[in-house]
Amino acid sequence: MTALFSPLALGGMELPNRIAVSPMAQYSSAPDGCAGDWHLVHLGQLSYSGAGLVMTEATAVEPDGRGSLQCLGLYGDAQEQALGRVVDFCRQWGGARLGVQLSHTGRKGSVRLPWAGRGPLPVQEGGWHVEAPSALAADDGGPVPAELDEGGLRRIGQAFVSAARRAVRVGFDVVELHAAHGYLLHQFLSPLSNRRDDGYGGDAERRMRFPLEVAQAVRDAVPSDRAMGVRISASDWAEGGFGLDDAVAFAGALKSIGCDYVCVSSGGLVGHQQIRVVPEYQVPFASEVRRRTGMATRAVGMIALAQQADAIVRSGRADFVALGRAMLDDPRWGWHAAEVLGAAVAYPQPYARAASAAWPGARLVRPGAA
Ligand SMILES: Cc1cc2nc3c(=O)[nH]c(=O)nc-3n(C[C@H](O)[C@H](O)[C@H](O)COP(=O)(O)O)c2cc1C
C-alpha cells in the first residue's frame, strides 16, 4: 500500500487516506454567512475527489469574524441549516470525511471582495469596526482595530464553542481552528500584532493564552469520535515575528490539551513579510513541528504531484498533506494520484459502474490522465 493512500487515525476517527483538500475561502455565495449553491457544487465535487478529507473555507464564528459580506459563517440557526445542506449532500455522494475550519478574522475582517478592489469595506457599505488583540492595523493605511477587552474575549471564545457545537451537530468529522495567516488567533500569538500588557500579552506564554483557552473549550465541545485540529503559521517571515520555536511550543501545548493534529502553514500576518515561495516551502516547518512534538502534522503549500505527496508522507515529514490550488485545477486529483501510485480510490456510486467490467476497458480514468 502506498503511504499516501494508507488510512490515518486522527483522535477517535480515521481518514481513508492522507490527502486533504485545503481550506479555501470563496468570498462568494454566502449572504449573511449562509452557504449557497456555489458551496454545494464546489465542496460537493471535492467530496468525491478521492481526497480523504475535505475542509471548508474559513468559517466565521460570529458575523464580525467574517472576511467579507460573502464569506461563510456558522453563527446561527440559518447558517447551520445552510451548511448542513452541503454536508448532507457530501455525505450522500462523496467518500471524504468533512472538516470545518472555524475562524475569526479580527483586524483582517470587513474587506471588499477580492475582485471588487480588495481594501477595507466601510461601515456605510455594510462593513464593521474590526477588533483585535491590540490597536495595530494589519497593513499601513488599513483601519486601526479596537483593542478587545475581557468581555470581548469571552464573547469570541463562546462563539467558537457555539460554532463547534453546531459543526458537530451537522455532522462534520473534523473541527479545525484557524490560528494562521494573520487571523485573530494568530494575531494573539505574534508579538508583531499583540502588544497587550494584561494576562493575554507580553511573553510567549501569555500570547498563547487566548488561543489555548479557545482550543481547550472547543476540544471539550468536540466529542472524542471526531477530530479536532489547529492550523498555524510557523513563521511570520518578518523580523521580530512568530517563528518556528514558538510554533513548536504552541503545538506542544495544543497536544497536551488533547488536540489531534496541527496543519503547518506560514505567513499572512503583516504586509512586509518576505516569503521565498518554492515547491514544498512549508514542509520543513511541518517536519520540524512533528519531530519535536510527536504531534500528527499536516503539511501544505506548493504540493501538487502524486509522487511528491507520497514521498512527504513516506519519509515521515508529515502525517498527511493538504492541497489547495492543485485541487481547484483538478478536482479528480485523488483519482489521478491513485492511478499514478497504483492505489485504489472509491468513485461515487453513479460513476463507479463506469469502471466496472460492464464497460469495455473496465476503467474510468482515461489513460495518461494522471
Ligand atoms: C482561493 C484560496 C483561498 C484560501 N482560503 C483559505 C482559508 O480560508 N483558510 C486557510 O487556512 N487557508 C486558505 N488558503 C490557503 C490554502 O489553504 C493553502 O494553504 C495555500 O493555497 C497553499 O497551498 P497550495 O499551494 O496547495 O495552494 C486559501 C488559498 C486559496 C488559493
Side-chain angles (χ1 to χ4, degrees):
M1 187 189 285
T2 66
L4 192 64
F5 281 91
S6 61
L8 173 67
L10 271 189
M13 53 87 69
E14 190 177 90
L15 300 182
N17 60 45
R18 311 297 182 103
I19 306 163
V21 175
S22 213
M24 282 181 281
Q26 302 297 294
Y27 291 90
S28 299
S29 179
D32 193 15
C34 293
D37 287 351
W38 176 260
H39 298 93
L40 196 68
V41 172
H42 166 69
L43 294 171
Q45 64 165 351
L46 290 167
S47 73
Y48 51 82
S49 62
L53 173 66
V54 174
M55 295 300 305
T56 68
E57 67 190 79
T59 301
V61 300
E62 63 171 16
D64 290 3
R66 290 174 297 167
S68 74
L69 293 176
Q70 292 296 332
C71 287
L72 206 55
L74 189 50
Y75 42 75
D77 293 346
Q79 292 73 22
E80 181 178 331
Q81 199 181 10
L83 197 52
R85 170 176 170 253
V86 176
V87 170
D88 289 347
F89 178 91
C90 294
R91 281 228 173 287
Q92 183 180 356
W93 300 107
R97 300 286 190 161
L98 304 169
V100 66
Q101 186 187 51
L102 297 182
S103 173
H104 195 297
T105 45
R107 70 182 190 177
K108 283 180 81 172
S110 191
V111 294
R112 293 184 190 281
L113 302 181
W115 40 88
R118 279 191 169 274
L121 182 72
V123 174
Q124 314 78 272
E125 294 179 39
W128 54 94
H129 296 293
V130 293
E131 296 175 309
S134 300
L136 293 165
D139 282 303
D140 294 344
V144 177
E147 179 172 313
L148 281 159
D149 60 15
E150 292 223 4
L153 296 187
R154 255 196 316 280
R155 184 195 83 232
I156 290 173
Q158 281 161 5
F160 269 101
V161 171
S162 156
R165 292 208 176 103
R166 291 183 187 278
V168 168
R169 203 151 56 212
V170 299
F172 280 105
D173 306 290
V174 173
V175 177
E176 177 174 303
L177 300 182
H178 196 353
H181 304 170
Y183 293 107
L184 185 76
L185 298 179
H186 183 184
Q187 290 160 29
F188 273 90
L189 292 170
S190 176
L192 298 180
S193 44
N194 182 345
R195 300 277 167 77
R196 297 175 75 94
D197 53 15
D198 64 359
Y200 291 97
D203 63 14
E205 203 167 314
R206 284 198 297 248
R207 281 184 274 109
M208 288 196 297
R209 183 173 159 201
F210 183 64
L212 285 175
E213 282 179 3
V214 170
Q216 176 77 72
V218 167
R219 172 72 277 182
D220 292 347
V222 175
S224 57
D225 63 346
R226 320 281 177 103
M228 184 260 171
V230 179
R231 183 173 250 201
I232 61 174
S233 275
S235 172
D236 288 339
W237 299 103
E239 186 79 30
F242 190 82
L244 183 58
D245 289 337
D246 303 305
V248 168
F250 184 51
L254 289 170
K255 187 181 180 203
S256 68
I257 61 168
C259 175
D260 298 311
Y261 73 92
V262 280
C263 179
V264 185
S265 186
S266 73
L269 187 88
V270 287
H272 62 275
Q273 62 186 9
Q274 298 284 331
I275 306 187
R276 216 171 66 81
V277 179
V278 293
E280 301 181 20
Y281 70 109
Q282 296 170 150
V283 176
F285 292 141
S287 165
E288 204 50 18
V289 168
R290 184 176 190 266
R291 190 182 68 77
R292 288 166 64 185
T293 64
M295 182 137 187
T297 302
R298 192 172 79 202
V300 66
M302 301 281 278
I303 302 167
L305 304 173
Q307 311 271 22
Q308 179 192 26
D310 187 55
I312 290 168
V313 176
R314 193 164 13 90
S315 60
R317 282 176 285 161
D319 297 275
F320 58 138
V321 292
L323 283 75
R325 290 162 293 181
M327 286 287 180
L328 299 183
D329 170 51
D330 177 8
R332 306 281 189 272
W333 193 91
W335 302 10
H336 301 146
E339 180 86 354
V340 168
L341 298 170
V345 70
Y347 302 124
Q349 200 175 26
Y351 295 173
R353 207 167 56 91
S356 75
W359 296 87
R363 57 180 296 144
L364 178 52
V365 173
R366 66 189 193 283

